[in-house]
PDB file of all heavy atoms in Angstrom:
ATOM      1  N   CYS A  87       0.248  15.928  12.420  1.00 90.00           N
ATOM      2  CA  CYS A  87       0.956  14.776  11.865  1.00 90.00           C
ATOM      3  C   CYS A  87      -0.057  13.849  11.190  1.00 90.00           C
ATOM      4  O   CYS A  87      -1.137  13.612  11.717  1.00 90.00           O
ATOM      5  CB  CYS A  87       1.676  14.060  12.997  1.00 90.00           C
ATOM      6  SG  CYS A  87       2.415  12.490  12.571  1.00 90.00           S
ATOM      7  N   GLN A  88       0.331  13.313  10.043  1.00 89.00           N
ATOM      8  CA  GLN A  88      -0.568  12.412   9.311  1.00 89.00           C
ATOM      9  C   GLN A  88      -0.889  11.156  10.120  1.00 89.00           C
ATOM     10  O   GLN A  88      -1.974  10.613  10.039  1.00 89.00           O
ATOM     11  CB  GLN A  88       0.096  12.008   7.992  1.00 89.00           C
ATOM     12  CG  GLN A  88      -0.657  10.932   7.237  1.00 89.00           C
ATOM     13  CD  GLN A  88       0.091  10.478   5.994  1.00 89.00           C
ATOM     14  OE1 GLN A  88       0.656  11.289   5.274  1.00 89.00           O
ATOM     15  NE2 GLN A  88       0.079   9.189   5.735  1.00 89.00           N
ATOM     16  N   VAL A  89       0.056  10.706  10.911  1.00 82.00           N
ATOM     17  CA  VAL A  89      -0.110   9.442  11.623  1.00 82.00           C
ATOM     18  C   VAL A  89      -0.856   9.625  12.941  1.00 82.00           C
ATOM     19  O   VAL A  89      -1.826   8.927  13.229  1.00 82.00           O
ATOM     20  CB  VAL A  89       1.264   8.795  11.912  1.00 82.00           C
ATOM     21  CG1 VAL A  89       1.095   7.453  12.607  1.00 82.00           C
ATOM     22  CG2 VAL A  89       2.042   8.648  10.625  1.00 82.00           C
ATOM     23  N   CYS A  90      -0.404  10.588  13.754  1.00 82.00           N
ATOM     24  CA  CYS A  90      -0.937  10.663  15.113  1.00 82.00           C
ATOM     25  C   CYS A  90      -1.731  11.936  15.381  1.00 82.00           C
ATOM     26  O   CYS A  90      -2.338  12.077  16.435  1.00 82.00           O
ATOM     27  CB  CYS A  90       0.193  10.530  16.127  1.00 82.00           C
ATOM     28  SG  CYS A  90       1.272  11.965  16.135  1.00 82.00           S
ATOM     29  N   GLY A  91      -1.708  12.875  14.450  1.00 86.00           N
ATOM     30  CA  GLY A  91      -2.496  14.087  14.631  1.00 86.00           C
ATOM     31  C   GLY A  91      -1.827  15.160  15.476  1.00 86.00           C
ATOM     32  O   GLY A  91      -2.364  16.254  15.632  1.00 86.00           O
ATOM     33  N   ASN A  92      -0.650  14.863  16.011  1.00 88.00           N
ATOM     34  CA  ASN A  92       0.064  15.817  16.860  1.00 88.00           C
ATOM     35  C   ASN A  92       0.434  17.073  16.070  1.00 88.00           C
ATOM     36  O   ASN A  92       1.055  17.011  15.022  1.00 88.00           O
ATOM     37  CB  ASN A  92       1.322  15.129  17.402  1.00 88.00           C
ATOM     38  CG  ASN A  92       2.102  15.997  18.354  1.00 88.00           C
ATOM     39  OD1 ASN A  92       1.513  16.814  19.074  1.00 88.00           O
ATOM     40  ND2 ASN A  92       3.402  15.833  18.361  1.00 88.00           N
ATOM     41  N   ASN A 193       5.048  14.102  10.892  1.00 89.00           N
ATOM     42  CA  ASN A 193       5.779  15.061  11.710  1.00 89.00           C
ATOM     43  C   ASN A 193       6.932  14.354  12.407  1.00 89.00           C
ATOM     44  O   ASN A 193       7.014  13.128  12.431  1.00 89.00           O
ATOM     45  CB  ASN A 193       4.861  15.703  12.752  1.00 89.00           C
ATOM     46  CG  ASN A 193       3.969  16.779  12.148  1.00 89.00           C
ATOM     47  OD1 ASN A 193       4.016  17.030  10.942  1.00 89.00           O
ATOM     48  ND2 ASN A 193       3.175  17.409  12.986  1.00 89.00           N
ATOM     49  N   CYS A 195       7.357  13.621  15.346  1.00 81.00           N
ATOM     50  CA  CYS A 195       6.920  12.625  16.329  1.00 81.00           C
ATOM     51  C   CYS A 195       6.867  11.218  15.743  1.00 81.00           C
ATOM     52  O   CYS A 195       7.084  10.240  16.451  1.00 81.00           O
ATOM     53  CB  CYS A 195       5.547  12.996  16.885  1.00 81.00           C
ATOM     54  SG  CYS A 195       4.424  13.668  15.649  1.00 81.00           S
ATOM     55  N   CYS A 196       6.561  11.096  14.457  1.00 78.00           N
ATOM     56  CA  CYS A 196       6.357   9.771  13.886  1.00 78.00           C
ATOM     57  C   CYS A 196       7.394   9.419  12.827  1.00 78.00           C
ATOM     58  O   CYS A 196       7.202   8.490  12.055  1.00 78.00           O
ATOM     59  CB  CYS A 196       4.950   9.651  13.325  1.00 78.00           C
ATOM     60  SG  CYS A 196       3.735   9.618  14.659  1.00 78.00           S
ATOM     61  N   SER A 266       3.842  10.984  20.789  1.00 57.00           N
ATOM     62  CA  SER A 266       3.205  12.299  20.690  1.00 57.00           C
ATOM     63  C   SER A 266       2.375  12.602  21.931  1.00 57.00           C
ATOM     64  O   SER A 266       2.300  13.728  22.379  1.00 57.00           O
ATOM     65  CB  SER A 266       2.338  12.378  19.451  1.00 57.00           C
ATOM     66  OG  SER A 266       1.203  11.583  19.622  1.00 57.00           O
TER      67      SER A 266
HETATM   68 ZN1   ZN B   1       3.077  11.887  14.730  1.00 53.07          ZN
END
Side-chain angles (χ1 to χ4, degrees):
C87 172
Q88 172 185 319
V89 182
C90 70
N92 183 32
N193 282 1
C195 39
C196 290
S266 71

